[in-house]
Amino acid sequence: MALDPGETRPQNEGMTEKFTGSFTQQEPIPDDAIAAAVDVLRHGRLHRYNVAPTELSETALLEQEFAAQTGAKYCLAVASGGYALATALRAIGVQPGDPVLTNAFTLAPVPGAIASVGARPVFVGVNEALTIDLDDLAAKLGQARVLMLSHMRGHLCDMDRLMQMCDAAGVTVIEDCAHTMGAAWRGQKSGRQGAVGCYSCQTYKHVNSGEGGLLVTDDAELAARATILSGSYMLYERHLAAPAPEVFERVKYTTPNVSGRMDNLRAAILRPQLRDLERQVARWNERYREIEAGLAGTPGLRTVERPAEETYVGSSIQFLLLDWSPEDIAEVIRRCAARGVELKWFGGAEPSGFTSRYDSWRYVEAERMPDSDRILAGILDMRVPLTFSLDDCRLIARIIRAEVGAVYQS
Ligand SMILES: *Cc1c(COP(=O)(O)O)cnc(C)c1O
């Protein structure tokens, strides 16, 4: 039944609706990507440096295409997004024991990448826009020379102000773009404001090769070190988006090999998907806006405002039940789950599935951040896979609206 704007659906009708789709089901790999993958399987040259005479590998072509797509000088394809982040830290020269600033609101692979090089995460708070708290960052900038900035759940902070602050303080920015592949800040692709941008091609991100990562930069020495780190065996001349051989000459004896290459099978699957990224972003955003509109004005619930400078990718949606009791939030989650709507909660006391909090990473000594704790305690998060129809999105929003309303009124 179509409703007029402002009209609310009768409670009992809403209560009978149930969503039966899956929050973790991706779309199939597109036919052109399957065909490209089968070609690689048929010739058998899966290793990126295993090429026939005059052949350009799928991996090298992927790097060339992604560099062009993001406007970067250099691109390196690797085994995962987490590997790209750790490689960026190593290529910048982060040493064991070094402090590295990062977001308190992010996912486990981000502090994990910092820990993997023996460095020490220093958490920076989160605000109601779900972005890094720039005042907290200002207070902590003097403590480190690197910031690993996670664009968590696709929310971009004021990147102009952040870059001014970091440039002035001499802090190098590595961007974690696991949730912003295809996003932009004032028209410039996400991952291109900082010194390095790192992306994930894992199944739950914006392109799907099962596992995989991409790293982009304009810094030639950094790109050369990252390439050697990834395990190039001095075959860097087979890259198409790498710096000139003389740059490699300067770093090749002092850069260790920490193997984590991309292979031609994954690259073959990714190239057609990247060509289609813009269309997919538009489809995600249609779904996001449908859910956002359905949630708008729900008493007790806050949607997240998006800055005008941001081009986002609505592959997930967040809302805040700010200052609600944990019991009431748990009740909303339970009621929504009973109607087929899977909400994730960053305020849960224990890490569960992919949700965890800065205080769940107990290998890090972190001071408490009460302002951030208040935000984290109210963040609810939901995936928006492209297998959802727009009708599904409207239904999901109606269910959340009804259940939040029911608990809020009680
Ligand atoms: C997925 C993810 C990563 C790491 O990507 P993998 O490819 O899984 O290693 C990094 N940061 C965030 C925020 C992520 O969600």
Side-chain angles (χ1 to χ4, degrees), residues 80-82 85 106-107 109-110 150 152 176 178-179 200 202 205 211-212:
S80 74
L85 292 170
T106 185
L107 293 182
V110 178
S150 184
M152 178 62 175
D176 165 26
H179 305 163
S200 170
Q202 191 233 79
K205 314 298 164 91
E211 304 286 355

Side-chain angles (χ1 to χ4, degrees), residues 65-368:
E65 289 163 4
F66 194 65
Q69 194 165 350
T70 51
K73 282 192 185 152
Y74 312 113
C75 174
L76 176 71
V78 294
S80 74
Y83 181 88
L85 292 170
T87 301
L89 290 167
R90 285 197 179 90
I92 284 170
V94 171
Q95 297 297 313
D98 284 357
V100 175
L101 295 161
T102 193
N103 306 58
F105 176 46
T106 185
L107 293 182
V110 178
I114 297 169
S116 79
V117 302
R120 183 167 59 81
V122 176
F123 295 117
V124 183
V126 59
N127 58 28
E128 288 178 27
L130 305 192
T131 56
I132 194 164
D133 178 345
L134 293 181
D135 297 327
D136 193 31
L137 178 65
K140 292 173 177 165
L141 267 183
Q143 292 184 33
R145 50 178 211 97
V146 176
L147 164 65
M148 181 166 278
L149 173 66
S150 184
H151 302 303
M152 178 62 175
R153 286 299 184 250
H155 297 278
L156 294 176
C157 70
D158 181 340
M159 287 303 293
D160 300 316
R161 188 170 157 219
L162 178 128
M163 287 312 302
Q164 273 165 15
M165 288 167 61
C166 290
D167 288 346
V171 167
T172 303
V173 178
I174 299 169
E175 294 182 74
D176 165 26
C177 302
H179 305 163
T180 57
M181 179 187 273
W185 180 259
R186 284 197 293 103
Q188 186 185 39
K189 295 287 184 212
S190 181
R192 300 289 299 127
Q193 286 81 31
V196 194
C198 299
Y199 308 80
S200 170
C201 310
Q202 191 233 79
T203 297
Y204 299 107
K205 314 298 164 91
H206 298 171
V207 287
N208 176 10
S209 57
E211 304 286 355
L214 291 158
L215 179 158
V216 298
T217 183
D218 284 350
D219 182 315
E221 276 211 7
L222 208 157
R225 278 194 293 268
T227 304
I228 293 181
L229 280 161
S230 77
S232 62
Y233 299 108
M234 306 302 162
L235 297 170
Y236 43 77
E237 291 192 45
R238 293 187 197 166
H239 285 245
L240 298 169
E246 53 269 26
V247 184
F248 284 92
E249 287 299 323
R250 293 205 292 270
V251 303
K252 72 181 194 186
Y253 298 108
T254 53
T255 307
N257 175 324
V258 186
S259 284
R261 291 171 302 273
M262 162 88 53
D263 59 84
N264 288 333
L265 183 56
R266 289 177 197 179
I269 293 171
L270 289 170
R271 291 177 62 210
Q273 292 183 62
L274 281 169
R275 287 197 283 273
D276 204 28
L277 181 62
E278 244 174 72
R279 190 182 68 88
Q280 298 292 70
V281 169
R283 294 177 62 223
W284 261 306
N285 289 351
E286 271 187 287
R287 285 157 179 75
Y288 180 97
R289 287 183 190 123
E290 206 61 68
I291 299 169
E292 186 185 45
L295 295 181
T298 305
L301 176 151
R302 287 163 85 128
T303 51
V304 181
E305 250 183 75
R306 319 244 16 177
E309 295 90 340
E310 179 195 37
T311 305
Y312 59 85
V313 185
S315 55
S316 70
I317 190 163
Q318 293 71 44
F319 59 86
L320 285 163
L321 299 180
L322 211 49
D323 303 322
W324 283 48
S325 73
E327 295 74 22
D328 283 353
I329 294 182
E331 179 63 9
V332 168
I333 294 168
R334 198 194 56 73
R335 283 165 165 261
C336 287
R339 296 178 66 185
V341 174
E342 254 181 61
L343 298 175
K344 303 290 176 182
W345 184 26
F346 281 86
E350 280 300 311
S352 123
F354 61 78
T355 55
S356 57
R357 263 197 328 228
Y358 73 93
D359 53 338
S360 328
W361 307 316
R362 292 183 199 163
Y363 54 87
V364 184
E365 245 181 72
E367 58 181 82
R368 297 243 51 115

